[in-house]
Amino acid sequence: MSLKSLLIQLSTGLVALTLAATVSAQTAKPQVVLLATGGTIAGAGASAANSATYQAAKVPVDKLIAGVPELSAVAQVRGEQVFQIASESFTNEHLLTLGKRVAALAKQADVDGIVITHGTDTLEETAYFLTLTVRTDKPIVVVGSMRPSTALSADGTLNLLNAVTTAADKSSRGKGVLVVMNDEIHTGRDVSKSINIRTEAFKSPWGPLGMVVEGKTYWFRAPAKRHTTESEFDIEQIGALPQVDIVYGSGNASDTAYRAFAAKGAKAIVHAGTGNGSVSGQVVPALRELRAQGLQIVRSARVVGGGFVLRNAEQPDDQYDWVVAHDLNPQKARILTMVALAKGADSKTLQRIFMAY
């Protein structure tokens, strides 16, 4: 063999080894699927000074991924555009479509984690719905932003990197659906949007589960309520969600809204009461009447989290056959009530479910 032939063979072999090493390194990285639904994280403003005035749901998923090249160092990320809407326009049908897609992906061997980009207005509702209905121990992370990508000090890129970091981390498995915002990791069960302007908008009444700092997750507690693999609900068994509506309690309240929702087909009404889920005297007769007609009545509280509605306090729930939402806010109480009623829960079962989830 000539020296030239030998050099060619050695060169060819070296290229093959390099390619093999590259492929091996790539396949060794966690594989994360990014499901995009729109929202501010995909929004754009007229100028860099617009942080609160912008159009949501403008940037497609491929551009979201391309806009954060650091993702490639964390995981192999591929994207799907599920919806392209502002989250206040999410419907029950959107929840079901998204939930079924998440469940299908979670079953795939080539998926290690799932990240969902979402508008912040109803992000907490979607996160809780997935917490209840998707049976997997793989990390599911919901993420959004408070500023569009075009704004000065936009928060979406770091939020997205932190979300993928969390989804790719094996330590995130088994903790249920997570929400990653502003460097914090929250459980989808507890977290709520409590501020509508600043980047630290998402809070959990019992505190975050952990943090993401410079590409590493740090954990401080675990979820205490039932979720995902321990849930009695299954997205694959839910064909439709019943109508459940929320009525806001206040001074000088009347029964008009409660009766109107019932007339329009509501199967349950969540009362967002003052204080300890209080119900005004002029509303109690209507709620008792609607319960006698078969509607479930759920007492929740409109106050900021950090407490819970106590059963048989303020109202004789046992006597009226009403349900209390425990520490869930009205919007999350609506989600849980829908999921439970879709499985045929009666009032006693519904109360058990509120205490467990």
Side-chain angles (χ1 to χ4, degrees), residues 28 38 95:
L95 288 175

Side-chain angles (χ1 to χ4, degrees), residues 124 189-194 203-207 275 301-309 326-331:
E124 66 196 78
R189 192 262 181 193
D190 291 347
V191 74
S192 289
K193 184 177 181 178
S194 59
K203 305 292 182 183
S204 294
W206 314 118
R302 72 181 200 186
V303 296
V304 175
F308 56 86
V309 177
H326 195 44
D327 67 323
L328 290 178
N329 63 27
Q331 53 270 33

Side-chain angles (χ1 to χ4, degrees), residues 93-105:
E93 288 70 30
H94 288 117
L95 288 175
L96 290 169
T97 298
L98 179 61
K100 291 179 188 295
R101 184 57 185 147
V102 172
L105 286 169

Side-chain angles (χ1 to χ4, degrees), residues 81-151:
Q81 192 76 50
V82 185
F83 314 117
Q84 187 66 299
I85 58 175
S87 70
E88 65 268 23
S89 297
F90 251 68
T91 64
N92 290 348
E93 288 70 30
H94 288 117
L95 288 175
L96 290 169
T97 298
L98 179 61
K100 291 179 188 295
R101 184 57 185 147
V102 172
L105 286 169
K107 291 181 178 180
Q108 295 182 195
D110 64 345
V111 176
D112 296 306
I114 300 165
V115 171
I116 301 158
T117 59
H118 199 290
T120 58
D121 281 359
T122 60
L123 184 152
E124 66 196 78
E125 297 174 46
T126 297
Y128 188 44
F129 178 76
L130 297 175
T131 295
L132 297 170
T133 61
V134 178
R135 291 180 171 179
T136 184
D137 69 343
K138 292 182 180 180
I140 300 170
V141 181
V142 189
V143 63
S145 72
M146 294 303 296
R147 295 171 179 165
S149 59
T150 51

Side-chain angles (χ1 to χ4, degrees), residues 34-322:
L34 176 62
L35 299 179
T37 70
T40 300
I41 197 168
S47 77
N50 293 125
S51 63
T53 305
Y54 54 87
Q55 285 187 301
K58 290 296 179 183
V59 182
V61 65
D62 56 337
K63 289 190 176 181
L64 283 178
I65 295 172
V68 192
E70 293 82 1
L71 294 176
S72 62
V74 176
Q76 284 185 275
V77 181
R78 67 180 191 267
E80 295 181 17
Q81 192 76 50
V82 185
F83 314 117
Q84 187 66 299
I85 58 175
S87 70
E88 65 268 23
S89 297
F90 251 68
T91 64
N92 290 348
E93 288 70 30
H94 288 117
L95 288 175
L96 290 169
T97 298
L98 179 61
K100 291 179 188 295
R101 184 57 185 147
V102 172
L105 286 169
K107 291 181 178 180
Q108 295 182 195
D110 64 345
V111 176
D112 296 306
I114 300 165
V115 171
I116 301 158
T117 59
H118 199 290
T120 58
D121 281 359
T122 60
L123 184 152
E124 66 196 78
E125 297 174 46
T126 297
Y128 188 44
F129 178 76
L130 297 175
T131 295
L132 297 170
T133 61
V134 178
R135 291 180 171 179
T136 184
D137 69 343
K138 292 182 180 180
I140 300 170
V141 181
V142 189
V143 63
S145 72
M146 294 303 296
R147 295 171 179 165
S149 59
T150 51
L152 292 170
S153 299
D155 56 326
T157 51
L158 183 56
N159 285 349
L160 183 55
L161 179 60
N162 286 344
V164 171
T165 298
T166 304
D169 192 337
K170 290 181 180 179
S171 70
S172 301
R173 292 182 74 109
K175 292 182 170 67
V177 176
L178 305 169
V179 172
V180 173
M181 294 280 292
N182 200 43
D183 299 336
E184 294 181 332
I185 307 171
H186 295 266
T187 168
R189 192 262 181 193
D190 291 347
V191 74
S192 289
K193 184 177 181 178
S194 59
I195 304 170
N196 67 344
I197 294 292
R198 300 199 300 270
T199 55
E200 69 273 27
F202 281 75
K203 305 292 182 183
S204 294
W206 314 118
L209 300 183
M211 293 187 69
V212 188
V213 180
E214 295 186 354
K216 182 175 174 54
T217 59
Y218 296 86
W219 302 95
F220 303 104
R221 70 179 184 95
K225 298 291 187 176
R226 289 176 64 177
H227 59 76
T228 53
T229 56
E230 301 300 319
S231 178
E232 64 199 84
F233 310 110
D234 188 343
I235 187 66
E236 295 180 355
Q237 298 176 4
I238 302 175
L241 292 168
Q243 179 185 335
V244 177
D245 292 298
I246 302 171
V247 180
Y248 201 82
S250 67
N252 199 45
S254 76
D255 62 10
T256 302
Y258 304 90
R259 294 187 184 280
F261 280 131
K264 286 292 185 179
K267 302 303 179 186
I269 292 176
V270 175
H271 170 73
T274 55
N276 187 21
S278 304
V279 186
S280 64
Q282 55 267 40
V283 169
V284 169
L287 295 190
R288 295 190 66 185
E289 180 184 327
L290 294 176
R291 179 68 194 102
Q293 294 172 9
L295 274 73
Q296 296 292 345
I297 304 300
V298 179
R299 284 200 305 121
S300 67
R302 72 181 200 186
V303 296
V304 175
F308 56 86
V309 177
L310 189 64
R311 187 168 178 83
N312 293 314
E314 299 292 343
Q315 294 294 328
D317 298 298
D318 288 346
Q319 178 185 339
Y320 295 165
D321 196 25
W322 292 352

